[in-house]
C-alpha cells in the first residue's frame, strides 16, 4: 500500500500546479514546490515559487480508497486516504477543528452532521451507576448458578447411593450336571467300560 493524501488548493494555485505538471517550459519560479509543517503537525506553510500560503492537515469524515489502472479495465487499490492538506488564502478562515466537516464530493457536504449518528449526551454518573448495577446482577446470577450446581451434585450422589444399596445380590447357581458343586462321574465310568470292551475283543 502507498502513502497518499489529498491536496486541496485555491483555484489560482491549482492552475499554477497544473502548468508545472503538464508544461515543461513553465517558469523556474513555480518549480519550487514544498509543504512545511510546524511542530504540532497540523498547521504549516505551502510554498510554490515565491508565494507562501497557510496550510492545515485535516481528517476526512470518511476513508477514501485510491485506485490505479494500467489498461482502463482492471483497477488496483493503492491506498486508503484519511487526511487532506488544505491550502488557503489569507482571507480564508482557519479551520475550527482538525476534523473536516465535508467530504470530497457534493453529496458528502456536511457529512459529519447529516450522515453519522450523534453520540448520546449521557451523564457520566448515570453510566457508572448503571454499570455497577449490571455487575451486581451478574454476580448474583453467578452465585445462584453455583448454589444450584452444588445442590444438584449432592442430590445426584444421594440417588446413586440409594440405587447401589437397593440392588439385590445374585444367588450362586450350580452348573448343570453337578451336585453340590462336584462333577458327576458317569462320563468317566462310560469311558472306562468302552475301553475294557475294546481290549477284550482284541484278545
Amino acid at each position: 500500500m502507498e502513502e497518499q493524501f489529498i491536496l486541496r488548493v485555491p483555484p489560482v494555485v491549482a492552475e499554477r500546479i497544473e502548468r508545472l505538471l503538464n508544461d515543461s517550459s513553465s517558469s523556474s519560479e513555480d518549480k519550487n514546490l514544498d509543504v512545511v509543517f510546524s511542530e504540532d503537525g497540523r498547521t504549516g506553510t505551502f510554498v510554490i515559487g515565491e508565494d507562501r500560503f497557510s496550510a492545515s492537515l485535516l481528517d476526512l469524515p470518511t476513508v477514501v480508497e485510491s485506485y490505479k489502472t494500467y489498461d482502463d479495465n482492471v483497477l488496483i487499490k493503492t491506498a486508503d486516504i484519511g487526511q487532506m492538506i488544505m491550502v488557503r488564502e489569507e482571507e480564508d478562515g482557519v479551520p475550527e477543528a482538525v476534523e473536516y466537516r465535508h467530504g470530497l464530493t457534493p453529496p458528502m457536504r456536511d457529512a459529519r452532521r447529516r450522515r453519522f449518528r450523534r453520540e448520546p449526551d449521557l451523564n457520566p454518573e448515570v453510566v457508572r451507576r448503571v454499570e455497577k448495577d449490571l455487575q451486581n446482577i451478574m454476580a448474583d446470577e453467578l452465585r445462584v448458578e453455583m448454589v444450584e450446581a452444588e445442590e444438584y451434585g449432592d442430590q445426584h450422589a444421594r440417588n446413586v447411593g440409594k440405587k447401589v444399596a437397593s440392588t439385590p445380590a445374585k444367588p450362586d447357581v450350580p452348573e448343570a450336571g453337578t451336585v453340590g458343586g462336584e462333577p458327576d462321574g458317569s462320563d468317566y465310568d462310560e469311558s472306562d467300560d468302552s475301553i475294557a470292551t475294546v481290549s477284550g475283543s482284541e484278545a
Side-chain angles (χ1 to χ4, degrees):
M1 298 289 287
E2 300 177 0
E3 294 184 2
Q4 301 178 1
F5 59 88
I6 303 295
L7 179 63
R8 175 168 286 184
V9 297
V12 178
V13 179
E15 293 177 359
R16 296 173 63 178
I17 294 176
E18 186 176 1
R19 287 197 304 267
L20 179 63
L21 296 176
N22 297 331
D23 189 4
S24 59
S25 62
S26 58
S27 61
S28 59
E29 295 180 355
D30 290 344
K31 292 183 179 180
N32 183 17
L33 187 66
D34 193 10
V35 179
V36 180
F37 285 96
S38 58
E39 294 181 357
D40 60 359
R42 287 289 181 176
T43 58
T45 303
F46 177 79
V47 181
I48 179 170
E50 299 297 331
D51 298 329
R52 294 175 176 269
F53 299 89
S54 299
S56 300
L57 180 63
L58 304 176
D59 296 336
L60 294 173
T62 59
V63 176
V64 180
E65 295 181 349
S66 174
Y67 293 85
K68 65 181 178 181
T69 180
Y70 297 101
D71 55 2
D72 294 332
N73 187 18
V74 179
L75 298 177
I76 302 174
K77 183 178 178 180
T78 57
D80 288 328
I81 305 174
Q83 292 182 320
M84 174 182 64
I85 298 177
M86 174 175 284
V87 179
R88 60 185 186 276
E89 297 179 339
E90 295 181 358
E91 59 270 15
D92 296 336
V94 180
E96 298 178 356
V98 297
E99 296 180 349
Y100 194 54
R101 293 175 53 191
H102 312 296
L104 301 180
T105 58
M108 291 296 292
R109 180 174 179 79
D110 203 6
R112 290 194 180 275
R113 183 181 63 84
R114 295 191 302 109
R115 294 181 176 268
F116 296 97
R117 184 176 61 182
R118 296 181 58 185
E119 296 182 358
D121 187 11
L122 299 177
N123 187 356
E125 183 63 28
V126 176
V127 174
R128 285 193 293 269
R129 186 168 65 251
V130 172
E131 182 181 4
K132 185 177 180 180
D133 293 341
L134 290 176
Q135 291 177 352
N136 294 334
I137 293 173
M138 294 175 63
D140 293 339
E141 291 180 353
L142 181 60
R143 284 195 294 269
V144 170
E145 291 178 358
M146 293 178 62
V147 171
E148 291 179 352
E150 292 178 357
E151 293 178 353
Y152 174 78
D154 296 340
Q155 183 66 28
H156 182 68
R158 287 194 294 269
N159 293 337
V160 171
K162 290 180 180 179
K163 290 181 179 180
V164 172
S166 61
T167 302
K170 294 183 179 180
D172 295 336
V173 179
E175 297 180 358
T178 60
V179 178
E182 296 181 357
D184 189 4
S186 58
D187 295 339
Y188 296 97
D189 296 340
E190 292 178 359
S191 60
D192 293 339
D193 294 341
S194 60
I195 294 173
T197 305
V198 171
S199 59
S201 60
E202 290 179 354

